[in-house]
Amino acid sequence: MKIPIQCPSCDSSLKVSELSCTHCETTIRGNYDMPLYMQLTREEQAFILKFFLSSGSIKEMAKQAELSYPTMRNKMDDLIEKIKNLNTQKT
């Protein structure tokens, strides 16, 4: 199941407000930020996982995706920029 990260009404970022334990039924309520990784789209999360599984080789990722290295590098640079922006919003 995909966890929504943006409000379907206004497109604002969603916050985590409740966590619960299925074992002992403890519930924790508050207003917590989503972890940075969870704020990325499914496609961006998959890209990071592929990068990790290819031992951090953009060249290998490009080969597997049948894309040129510059195209894959641009995708990586765009994702890095997005993560930097998300990270600076937290501080």
Side-chain angles (χ1 to χ4, degrees):
M1 179 174 162
K2 181 181 176 193
I3 296 174
I5 59 173
Q6 293 194 275
C7 175
S9 296
C10 70
D11 243 10
S12 293
S13 295
L14 294 174
K15 302 264 185 185
V16 176
S17 62
E18 185 173 301
L19 299 167
S20 60
C21 175
T22 57
H23 180 72
C24 70
E25 299 185 12
T26 296
T27 300
I28 301 167
R29 290 192 177 100
N31 193 15
Y32 307 100
D33 290 328
M34 290 246 210
L36 192 139
Y37 183 75
M38 295 296 298
Q39 296 175 45
L40 302 174
T41 66
R42 276 187 123 155
E43 293 79 21
E44 291 165 337
Q45 291 175 17
F47 185 88
I48 291 170
L49 182 59
K50 287 176 188 170
F51 180 67
F52 179 78
L53 293 174
S54 68
S55 299
S57 172
I58 298 171
K59 183 178 178 181
E60 181 60 30
M61 286 180 66
K63 180 180 170 185
Q64 290 175 5
E66 298 180 353
L67 296 172
S68 69
Y69 178 87
T71 299
M72 191 59 71
R73 180 76 239 179
N74 287 337
K75 288 178 175 270
M76 178 68 73
D77 290 342
D78 290 345
L79 184 54
I80 289 169
E81 190 63 31
K82 180 175 182 175
I83 290 171
K84 283 181 181 177
N85 289 334
L86 287 171
N87 202 37
T88 57
Q89 291 173 7
K90 299 247 186 234
T91 55

